[in-house]
Amino acid sequence: MGELSVLDRTGDTKIMWDSAQDAEVDAARATFDKLKKAGYLAYSVNKKGDKDEVIKKFDPDAERIIMAPAMVGG
Amino acid sequence: MATLFNDGFDTSNSTAWVSWNDQWQTTATMTYTTTTNATTADTTWATWTGVDTTGTACDYTWTQWVSVPCGGTVTYGTAGPQLSAEEIAAEQARIREAADRRQAERLEAVRKAKALLASLLDEKQREQLERQRFFEFVSQTGRRMRIKQGYSRNVDELGEDGKRIRTLCAHPGNYELVEEDHMVAQLLALRHQEEAFLRVANVS
């Protein structure tokens, strides 16, 4: 199962998908694309949390994706 | 019995204030009875402002209130419905419940964000965060960095001696996020998009 965590006011909202289920993959991809268009940054992270990378496109084989709003100067 | 004044908005100010005066003139301690025959709200309050000799803050308050034109975003309230003690208690309970619900949601958000942040840290960093409210790591380009508990002005670049060289201020542009979510975003950005982070960060 893949897991998309979107940082938001609830802490994060999780969207799960089974890469063998097209409908679930499509739903996760749609959320990913919508947030990317809104300027969110996306990182693919392994479940263990010790390996992560920036991604530009939705990866249905990712273990975990974290999406965060774009950074602004404080 | 009590009266709520903000739940109705009447453009007929004379009606509104005459009603208000009728309701309150016998119980209020300030001197405004000379204004009860005024036919417009502006007259009423301007007069009240002029004659009130006992209030300490009324002049400013009412002058400001009167200066808001009818139809502005601040609207004169009509005397609202009479509420019984039970109704007031119910309303207060409803407000308390809403506040409790918001507080519970916030605590749950913090719990989830803490778990997410912890999942990205190693044992030593988790311990640092627990004991010292910060954790250290190496950035994408090899800088020694420290993220402190917080959401802004909480990222320090450290020298080899562990002393602060400069503070970097950048964070996700969503102020509804709890602190730990800001720290997650800062950590990931500095691990992978350091140049972009530095481009937007204020440095001190």
Side-chain angles (χ1 to χ4, degrees):
Chain A
M1 289 291 282
E3 179 184 294
L4 173 62
S5 295
V6 182
L7 305 191
D8 59 23
R9 65 188 299 274
T10 72
D12 66 282
T13 296
K14 286 184 170 55
I15 296 168
M16 316 289 281
W17 74 89
D18 179 340
S19 57
Q21 300 294 324
D22 289 347
E24 293 181 14
V25 171
D26 288 347
R29 189 197 308 277
T31 299
F32 181 97
D33 290 344
K34 182 179 157 194
L35 293 172
K36 278 300 288 176
K37 197 173 274 187
Y40 275 61
L41 307 171
Y43 304 91
S44 175
V45 183
N46 70 352
K47 294 273 185 186
K48 204 174 165 190
D50 60 357
K51 192 176 171 192
D52 41 60
E53 62 179 339
V54 176
I55 55 172
K56 305 284 185 192
K57 290 184 177 177
F58 178 74
D59 176 6
D61 296 320
E63 291 182 22
R64 182 163 59 142
I65 296 172
I66 296 174
M67 299 194 76
M71 306 296 283
V72 298
Chain B
M1 302 293 274
T3 304
L4 297 182
F5 289 95
N6 293 322
D7 56 345
F9 300 100
D10 184 4
T11 54
S12 173
N13 298 313
S14 56
T15 304
W17 296 120
V18 168
S19 299
W20 196 92
N21 287 341
D22 287 345
Q23 181 65 35
W24 287 94
Q25 70 179 56
T26 57
T27 56
T29 56
M30 286 182 280
T31 306
Y32 64 90
T33 51
T34 57
T35 68
T36 53
N37 292 327
T39 54
T40 67
D42 288 0
T43 307
T44 300
W45 297 115
T47 307
W48 189 9
T49 299
V51 301
D52 173 36
T53 55
T54 57
T56 56
C58 293
D59 291 357
Y60 177 76
T61 302
W62 297 119
T63 299
Q64 293 302 308
W65 195 354
V66 167
S67 71
V68 177
C70 294
T73 52
V74 178
T75 313
Y76 308 119
T78 63
Q82 302 281 318
L83 295 183
S84 66
E86 290 77 14
E87 287 170 322
I88 290 172
E91 178 66 4
Q92 288 172 335
R94 189 191 64 74
I95 291 169
R96 270 198 305 275
E97 281 169 21
D100 289 346
R101 191 168 54 248
R102 283 194 299 273
Q103 173 73 357
E105 287 170 356
R106 193 69 178 170
L107 289 174
E108 175 62 7
V110 170
R111 186 195 65 73
K112 288 167 66 180
K114 278 185 171 175
L116 183 62
L117 176 59
S119 77
L120 299 174
L121 304 178
D122 62 28
E123 189 65 36
K124 184 182 172 190
Q125 291 167 324
R126 282 196 290 269
E127 193 178 308
Q128 258 189 332
L129 183 59
E130 180 70 26
R131 295 167 67 120
Q132 299 174 282
R133 292 173 57 80
F134 66 75
F135 60 87
E136 294 177 4
F137 63 101
V138 176
S139 74
Q140 184 180 21
T141 62
R143 291 185 170 98
R144 187 174 169 188
M145 310 296 287
R146 171 183 291 169
I147 293 181
K148 298 176 285 192
Q149 183 76 38
Y151 78 93
S152 83
R153 295 184 58 79
N154 63 322
V155 179
D156 288 340
E157 181 183 343
L158 307 176
E160 288 183 3
D161 57 0
K163 289 186 178 170
R164 186 187 75 89
I165 296 174
R166 59 180 178 166
T167 295
L168 307 169
C169 188
H171 54 83
N174 179 347
Y175 293 90
E176 289 188 324
L177 298 183
V178 297
E179 287 181 351
E180 288 78 3
D181 274 346
H182 283 272
M183 295 160 77
V184 164
Q186 290 165 333
L187 171 64
L188 290 171
L190 283 164
R191 273 185 183 169
H192 300 289
Q193 298 181 304
E194 185 175 0
E195 191 182 324
F197 183 96
L198 293 174
R199 209 165 37 236
V200 299
N202 285 319
V203 180
S204 57

